[in-house]
Amino acid sequence: EADIYQTPRYLVIGTGKKITLECSQTMGHDKMYWYQQDPGMELHLIHYSYGVNSTEKGDLSSESTVSRIRTEHFPLTLESARPSHTSQYLCASSEQKHIYNEQFFGPGTRLTVL
Amino acid sequence: QKEVEQNSGPLSVPEGAIASLNCTYSDRGSQSFFWYRQYSGKSPELIMFIYSNGDKEDGRFTAQLNKASQYVSLLIRDSQPSDSATYLCAVPNGQNFVFGPGTRLSVLP
């Protein structure tokens, strides 16, 4: 079982609020990722990190920001939540091992912005 | 940008039948391929990976890779209703992954 955690699991919040979605992993993985996924739709990469102090934007434009101050922690922040941010947010991590570099996913945070 | 394509489905098979899920990819240089299963409302979980041409078997699951045709498939033998889920094909892209859109499988009792 993957040791990657996300909190909160569910969040309902009003428009304009600042929120931070937490993601932590205890596997010592250097690489961490945030995906956004609407119900029944594709995974979209919104942010990733190769290690401490490294962050990059993904393929899908996002108004969120991330930070990577510690290896195990990769929080995602929305400064001002809007209804268009309503979605499921999945955190993942991986370790490069030859050509086998499985991504382990957290349980996800389901965000609803009213 | 690498592309990974899958039929979105739904693919419906009767219980006990073989389900065949297909994935094509655009980058001939791709070396490894992953199949994830995602139940509705849950996060993806790895079920198979393959990096050599041919077949790889794990229990009821068989992954088949044909690099010349840029094609990877997943066969599920003796399908069970509990196999009903969306199956995602994923290909490494540098330090990241490219995920296909997924095929929704429904196993009918």
Side-chain angles (χ1 to χ4, degrees):
Chain A
E1 187 170 321
D3 296 320
I4 180 164
Y5 310 98
Q6 291 186 244
T7 57
R9 295 291 309 279
Y10 303 91
L11 180 61
V12 180
I13 201 163
T15 296
K17 299 292 185 182
K18 178 180 178 179
I19 59 172
T20 296
L21 307 184
E22 302 288 349
C23 176
S24 295
Q25 50 94 7
T26 59
M27 296 173 283
H29 289 170
D30 287 328
K31 299 175 183 57
M32 296 188 74
Y33 312 82
W34 276 104
Y35 292 89
Q36 185 174 343
Q37 186 180 37
D38 293 329
M41 304 299 285
E42 297 180 41
L43 282 169
H44 292 286
L45 180 67
I46 52 175
H47 296 283
Y48 57 97
S49 167
Y50 297 157
V52 171
N53 295 325
S54 149
T55 61
E56 302 286 344
K57 288 188 179 294
D59 304 323
L60 181 67
S61 174
S62 173
E63 294 164 347
S64 57
T65 59
V66 292
S67 63
R68 190 85 183 278
I69 298 172
R70 303 198 316 265
T71 297
E72 63 270 22
H73 195 212
F74 191 39
L76 180 145
T77 298
L78 277 166
E79 291 292 333
S80 179
R82 294 208 298 270
S84 60
H85 295 140
T86 295
S87 189
Q88 167 137 296
Y89 293 84
L90 292 165
C91 181
S93 72
S94 72
E95 179 184 12
Q96 188 80 23
K97 284 181 181 179
H98 191 44
I99 59 174
Y100 171 54
N101 53 344
E102 172 189 359
Q103 284 195 358
F104 294 91
F105 284 84
T109 293
R110 188 170 297 280
L111 173 65
T112 302
V113 183
L114 304 176
Chain B
Q1 172 68 10
K2 295 182 181 180
E3 293 183 356
V4 177
E5 297 186 357
Q6 300 179 253
N7 290 328
S8 61
L11 172 67
S12 294
V13 300
E15 184 174 356
I18 296 175
S20 178
L21 306 164
N22 304 318
C23 172
T24 58
Y25 58 95
S26 63
D27 185 357
R28 284 193 173 276
S30 296
Q31 295 291 312
S32 54
F33 306 86
F34 298 78
W35 282 101
Y36 284 81
R37 177 177 62 201
Q38 186 176 25
Y39 291 113
S40 180
K42 303 295 184 181
S43 55
E45 56 179 333
L46 182 73
I47 52 173
M48 291 283 287
F49 74 95
I50 185 168
Y51 54 85
S52 299
N53 266 334
D55 295 0
K56 179 182 178 181
E57 188 174 315
D58 184 1
R60 294 187 296 113
F61 298 96
T62 298
Q64 298 177 321
L65 175 60
N66 184 327
K67 290 187 178 181
S69 301
Q70 295 175 241
Y71 176 96
V72 57
S73 64
L74 179 70
L75 302 178
I76 306 175
R77 291 183 300 281
D78 188 23
S79 296
Q80 301 297 310
S82 58
D83 295 325
S84 297
T86 296
Y87 290 81
L88 306 171
C89 175
V91 179
N93 178 24
Q95 300 293 335
N96 302 324
F97 272 58
V98 177
F99 283 87
T103 297
R104 188 154 52 95
L105 172 67
S106 178
V107 180
L108 307 174

